[in-house]
Amino acid sequence: MTTITSAWRGYATALWALVYGLLGSAWALGLPGFPWGASDPDPDGALSILAGTTQRFGWWIAAFSLLTAVTALALTRRSERRAPLFLAWPIAAILVLVIPDSRLMMGVAYTPLLLVAPVFGWGLGGATFADAWPWPVRNQLVCVLGGLLLAAAALAYGRSQARTRWFTPQRGRTAVYVAVVVPLVYCATRWAWALGIPLGVSPEFLAEGEDGLWLAGAYLATFGAFGGVLTLGLTQRWGEIFPRWIPGLRGRRVPPLPAVIPAGFVSIIVTVAGLTYIRWTIAGRFALSEWGAWLPECFWPIWGAALAIATVSYHLRRKDDAGRG
């Protein structure tokens, strides 16, 4: 029974890879919908590392998908060999952290705003869900899904107490504090801009966003700060037992997955967005005098890594508590 439960992740990944590989082959043969290159609405072709590719790149997608499928199937077999893991983790990292870009985080962040905008009569400049989630960004979600399935299969294949023991409650607590503090630098700049304070930018730069752009930035900053407050729940009692002031739930145990899944996903999207800014910084796209517009984002991979560590530590602690119960 344990083997069946563990193996489904590998089979699911292999199925995903075969389907995506067929899609890559179809793109190479001329099927519309290739999510990069000329069909990507990225205005200057600088967001994705695959911005310069053409539909012929679909053959490389097919080959990469075939390698992913073979690796995933190798993970379904119980074995002491470590070779499948040496392929699985780099492939998962490419799918989860390299192929996506900062638009994935922007889509997630603006979705709640788009949901409530009609209620308050906000026009948002005519922005719609189609603008926040064009096909190239939805394709990034598809790639992240494949990478997470492969990572889950790799974890099931190579799980051991020696590896999970690193995620101790103490490390998880430290990671939570880091995950709360790091985004506050970004929050401070965006709140300052919304108030007309040119923190980290020139007055001329600040004037360019006075038509409401900085209010949107303040919204994102508040979104990040609120996420930081929720992150505290990974180490606080109210993250395990519902507080007394919640009717109908007070005193009951908090299910781990509603905390683990969103926190894990946020750790991915903020890391990806931060890597995009780091890539732009290395390429010389930013001016040092306008550090407030890019430097805080370069620390987001630290935020994402800390949140991931805190999430895994929380998951393992809740799992151990359930086992003792």
Side-chain angles (χ1 to χ4, degrees), residues 117-202:
V119 178
F120 296 98
W122 298 338
L124 300 180
T128 65
F129 282 101
D131 299 315
W133 293 102
W135 161 239
V137 180
R138 297 199 304 273
N139 175 70
Q140 293 177 22
L141 277 177
V142 173
C143 292
V144 168
L145 172 63
L148 291 178
L149 284 172
L150 183 60
L155 282 174
Y157 182 88
R159 183 179 293 121
S160 73
Q161 291 298 320
R163 277 183 293 279
T164 59
R165 217 179 283 133
W166 189 88
F167 295 94
T168 62
Q170 292 78 13
R171 285 196 176 98
R173 191 174 299 109
T174 301
V176 163
Y177 297 147
V178 173
V180 171
V181 170
V182 170
L184 292 181
V185 181
Y186 170 84
C187 295
T189 58
R190 272 48 181 183
W191 286 333
W193 297 354
L195 294 173
I197 303 171
L199 179 60
V201 296
S202 65

Side-chain angles (χ1 to χ4, degrees), residues 40 47 105 116 135 196 214 274 278 292 306:
D40 189 341
L47 287 170
M105 188 195 75
V116 302
W135 161 239
W214 302 145
I278 290 174

Side-chain angles (χ1 to χ4, degrees), residues 21-301:
L22 289 174
L23 190 57
S25 299
W27 288 331
L29 293 172
L31 180 73
F34 181 69
W36 297 287
S39 59
D40 189 341
D42 175 13
D44 56 3
L47 287 170
S48 174
I49 64 169
L50 300 178
T53 59
T54 65
Q55 288 198 230
R56 298 288 294 176
F57 186 74
W59 295 122
W60 288 101
I61 293 175
F64 180 82
S65 298
L66 180 60
L67 177 63
T68 302
V70 171
T71 302
L73 291 174
L75 295 174
T76 62
R77 303 179 61 183
R78 299 297 92 192
S79 173
E80 297 297 323
R81 294 185 300 113
R82 313 297 299 172
L85 295 177
F86 292 129
L87 279 175
W89 286 117
I91 292 174
I94 290 172
L95 289 169
V96 172
L97 299 177
V98 178
I99 292 178
D101 57 55
S102 59
R103 287 174 292 178
L104 190 57
M105 188 195 75
M106 298 300 289
V108 172
Y110 277 112
T111 292
L113 187 60
L114 289 168
L115 287 173
V116 302
V119 178
F120 296 98
W122 298 338
L124 300 180
T128 65
F129 282 101
D131 299 315
W133 293 102
W135 161 239
V137 180
R138 297 199 304 273
N139 175 70
Q140 293 177 22
L141 277 177
V142 173
C143 292
V144 168
L145 172 63
L148 291 178
L149 284 172
L150 183 60
L155 282 174
Y157 182 88
R159 183 179 293 121
S160 73
Q161 291 298 320
R163 277 183 293 279
T164 59
R165 217 179 283 133
W166 189 88
F167 295 94
T168 62
Q170 292 78 13
R171 285 196 176 98
R173 191 174 299 109
T174 301
V176 163
Y177 297 147
V178 173
V180 171
V181 170
V182 170
L184 292 181
V185 181
Y186 170 84
C187 295
T189 58
R190 272 48 181 183
W191 286 333
W193 297 354
L195 294 173
I197 303 171
L199 179 60
V201 296
S202 65
E204 293 76 18
F205 181 95
L206 187 66
E208 294 177 1
E210 290 181 348
D211 58 351
L213 180 61
W214 302 145
L215 289 178
Y219 157 76
L220 290 177
T222 304
F223 193 79
F226 179 69
V229 173
L230 293 180
T231 302
L232 291 172
L234 298 177
T235 57
Q236 302 296 319
R237 177 174 172 78
W238 54 266
E240 299 182 16
I241 304 295
F242 284 108
R244 297 176 181 176
W245 51 267
I246 301 182
L249 295 175
R250 60 170 62 98
R252 296 187 180 183
R253 295 183 65 83
V254 176
L257 286 184
V260 170
I261 293 176
F265 184 64
V266 170
S267 72
I268 291 172
I269 62 177
V270 298
T271 299
V272 166
L275 292 174
T276 301
Y277 274 88
I278 290 174
R279 191 171 71 247
W280 286 351
T281 301
I282 294 173
R285 292 175 59 88
F286 301 121
L288 184 60
S289 60
E290 310 286 2
W291 63 265
W294 55 270
L295 186 58
E297 289 89 335
C298 290
F299 289 97
W300 284 358

